[in-house]
Amino acid sequence: NTLPGGLVVSGARDRLIKLWDLTTWQEMGELEGHAAGLSCIVILPSGRLVSAALDGKIKLWDIGTRREIATVLADRSTVSALAAHPEGHIL
């Protein structure tokens, strides 16, 4: 999925979520906040982003401001999958 403005996202074990311009392939920014490597990312229908990391934390991000909105400790282990319901609910 793409974000508003034609951005795509990537995440890796370096703990960074990177925003990329799909037409130029240039990096447009980074989201920092996870203490461990990323395990999954999902884009909500609203354009917000949800990420999970190897530390068991799930974070909600506002892409427009590039700020973290909320953090939830899901478990003491890795979150291995996230899914978004078409109405925007996180599964």
Side-chain angles (χ1 to χ4, degrees):
N1 287 342
T2 60
L3 291 164
L7 296 176
V8 295
V9 296
S10 66
R13 295 195 184 248
D14 65 359
R15 306 178 315 225
L16 298 174
I17 299 168
K18 295 186 178 187
L19 307 173
W20 302 90
D21 182 307
L22 189 58
T23 58
T24 65
W25 291 106
Q26 291 184 352
E27 185 180 324
M28 302 303 291
E30 295 178 343
L31 304 175
E32 292 185 63
H34 280 289
L38 292 155
S39 56
C40 45
I41 298 173
V42 67
I43 300 168
L44 301 178
S46 66
R48 289 185 169 167
L49 185 91
V50 180
S51 59
L54 300 173
D55 59 4
K57 292 182 181 172
I58 298 173
K59 293 183 180 280
L60 177 64
W61 303 88
D62 182 314
I63 296 302
T65 63
R66 300 216 178 19
R67 292 184 183 252
E68 179 184 326
I69 298 170
T71 298
V72 175
L73 181 58
D75 199 348
R76 294 185 182 189
S77 62
T78 301
V79 176
S80 59
L82 291 170
H85 186 275
E87 293 179 7
H89 306 290
I90 303 168
L91 308 173

